[in-house]
Amino acid sequence: MNILVTGGSGYIGSHTCISLLEAGHSVIVADNLSNSKIGVLDEVRNITNKEVVFYKIDVTNAEALDTLFSKHDIDGVIHFAGFKAVGESVSAPSKYYFNNIVSTLVLAEACQKYGVRKFVFSSSATVYGDNAVPFVETMNLLPTTNPYGETKAMSERILTDIAKANPGFSVALLRYFNPVGAHESGMIGEAPNGLPNNLMPYVTQVAKGKLNKLRVFGNDYPTVDGTGVRDYIHVVDLAEGHVAALDNLHEGTHVFNLGTGRGTSVLELVRAFEKANNIEIPYEVVDRRLGDIASFYADASKAERELAWKAKKDLVSMCRDAWRFEKHH
Ligand code: NAD
Ligand code: UD1
């Protein structure tokens, strides 16, 4: 199939391009490079030895999408493009609502216009809010604590309504848990601008000596050792989940958790990193981070049942691959 990947030069998008190419699909990337570099796609070409067509366009721009869709016979779209920094979404909400909602609307419109029937959307476990764990797809969504999360919940509703009104249009809403790690070549990975917000990139930067020590946000949660528990998933497993979703997509809207189903605490992750890479990670415990919840992980059984997809890589691979990328980056 010819697959349009918006945000395809970003962290998850670039790994998904590799999985798509390896599965025999043709890939067209649309990215405005607001949070990625064009060189990433050269690495994708080097790793796969296959071509990727690239358009530097903003997917909120309907005319630019018209040009793209009229040049290529697109069979399916995977929509990664969006802003994702939770803290920034609180201080600049309109920037987030505009980019994340308008891109979804404009892209879905273009799909209607050009007869594209398959749409895969990057949602997030954040839409579950403070539900009880494990998070299951059938749960009612609770309000999220920030505009970023709201843009994901709203995009899910928009796409669900569009699919209802357009029989034949199929939508997969993929709720990611915590993507970490990098391609095992070490050539592509997660390279956040400035100080990392998320745990794994912070740990790898401490390992490299760019940062002095990790600050562990709270050790008084009701968890195994008091630190926050999350469901970390290797980005390559996550990428393969997209190919499975695309291949199995049928009429209507289908929601899938993409996680491992296992919770890992901050200190468990630190210890796994130290063991996998033989590097000590100095840390200190500080206050809880505002807006954090104690624990969340997926019920990952629906994707296994319906997509025949299951995360395969363990915490050691996640830590080893994340470090290999950081070391060479
Ligand atoms: P990323 O920032 O690395 O990739 C997003 C890409 O989209 C970037 O290359 C950026 O340049 C591009 N982009 C942004 N707005 C655009 C626009 N209007 N037009 C064209 N390109 C645009 O982020 P990522 O981690 O790869 O995340 C991909 C998607 O998955 C996002 O929608 C994000 O919200 C979602 N998600 C990410 C995580 C995570 O922890 N990384 C978790 C859950 C959901
Ligand atoms: C982040 C996002 C969330 C998104 C999720 C999945 C934020 C505020 N939230 O949350 O919207 O859905 O990723 O990608 O960015 N931690 C530390 N020290 C650090 C960094 C993190 O102790 O320097 C702890 C956190 O308190 C948490 C765990 O590590 O318990 C994971 O944090 P993080 O990687 O930021 O992910 P989420 O909190 O799940």
Side-chain angles (χ1 to χ4, degrees), residues 7 9-13 30-36 57-60 80-84 99 122-124 148 152 176-177 179:
S9 44
Y11 172 48
I12 306 170
D31 199 303
N32 63 3
L33 303 179
S34 56
N35 196 36
S36 55
I57 59 172
D58 194 305
V59 295
T60 61
F80 292 104
F83 295 145
K84 63 167 181 177
N99 197 41
S122 296
S123 188
S124 165
Y148 166 74
K152 292 297 174 192
Y176 311 157
F177 283 70

Side-chain angles (χ1 to χ4, degrees), residues 86-87 124-126 146 148 176-179 196-200 202 214-217 221 227-230 232 266 289 292-294 296:
V86 173
S124 165
T126 197
N146 56 75
Y148 166 74
Y176 311 157
F177 283 70
N178 291 56
N197 291 313
N198 301 118
L199 181 61
M200 185 68 95
Y202 207 102
L214 173 69
R215 290 171 311 142
V216 175
F217 297 139
Y221 286 107
T227 65
V229 165
R230 297 291 183 272
Y232 298 97
V266 175
R289 181 172 67 180
D292 267 357
I293 59 178
F296 69 81

Side-chain angles (χ1 to χ4, degrees), residues 101-129:
I101 301 291
V102 176
S103 62
T104 302
L105 278 170
V106 168
L107 200 55
E109 278 288 301
C111 287
Q112 303 315 304
K113 186 166 166 189
Y114 291 91
V116 179
R117 299 162 72 90
K118 289 170 185 275
F119 197 108
V120 176
F121 177 65
S122 296
S123 188
S124 165
T126 197
V127 298
Y128 288 108

Side-chain angles (χ1 to χ4, degrees), residues 116-329:
V116 179
R117 299 162 72 90
K118 289 170 185 275
F119 197 108
V120 176
F121 177 65
S122 296
S123 188
S124 165
T126 197
V127 298
Y128 288 108
D130 208 358
N131 265 298
V133 287
F135 292 165
V136 191
E137 290 90 342
T138 47
M139 281 173 162
N140 286 329
L141 302 189
L142 296 179
T144 65
T145 52
N146 56 75
Y148 166 74
E150 289 305 312
T151 68
K152 292 297 174 192
M154 280 181 201
S155 290
E156 285 200 3
R157 289 197 292 273
I158 290 168
L159 291 167
T160 303
D161 287 343
I162 293 175
K164 248 187 236 161
N166 294 277
F169 187 56
S170 317
V171 174
L173 305 173
L174 304 184
R175 295 179 180 156
Y176 311 157
F177 283 70
N178 291 56
V180 294
H183 190 262
E184 63 174 13
S185 64
M187 287 155 80
I188 61 168
E190 188 176 16
N193 292 328
L195 199 64
N197 291 313
N198 301 118
L199 181 61
M200 185 68 95
Y202 207 102
V203 168
T204 59
Q205 294 201 13
V206 171
K208 204 172 186 180
K210 278 200 225 167
L211 298 167
N212 286 338
K213 61 181 160 190
L214 173 69
R215 290 171 311 142
V216 175
F217 297 139
N219 64 353
D220 56 353
Y221 286 107
T223 61
V224 59
D225 55 20
T227 65
V229 165
R230 297 291 183 272
D231 184 341
Y232 298 97
I233 173 166
H234 197 295
V235 66
V236 170
D237 277 332
L238 187 65
E240 281 168 8
H242 290 73
V243 180
L246 201 60
D247 287 347
N248 291 286
L249 198 51
H250 54 272
E251 209 164 288
T253 302
H254 307 275
V255 186
F256 294 102
N257 285 339
L258 296 186
T260 64
R262 284 187 304 275
T264 302
S265 76
V266 175
L267 292 181
E268 284 171 340
L269 185 137
V270 168
R271 278 187 219 106
F273 187 93
E274 291 181 327
K275 196 163 164 215
N277 299 310
N278 202 18
I279 299 175
E280 198 188 328
I281 302 296
Y283 70 84
E284 66 172 329
V285 176
V286 299
D287 286 346
R288 290 179 176 194
R289 181 172 67 180
L290 209 66
D292 267 357
I293 59 178
S295 178
F296 69 81
Y297 51 91
D299 175 326
S301 59
K302 186 180 176 199
E304 186 174 359
R305 225 170 31 244
E306 296 189 16
L307 303 177
W309 170 89
K310 190 179 174 195
K312 295 187 199 107
K313 291 176 180 279
D314 62 9
L315 202 56
V316 171
S317 312
M318 301 181 210
C319 294
R320 212 180 36 220
D321 294 342
W323 174 233
R324 189 184 298 109
F325 174 71
E326 179 68 41
K327 231 179 353 186
H328 297 131
H329 185 63

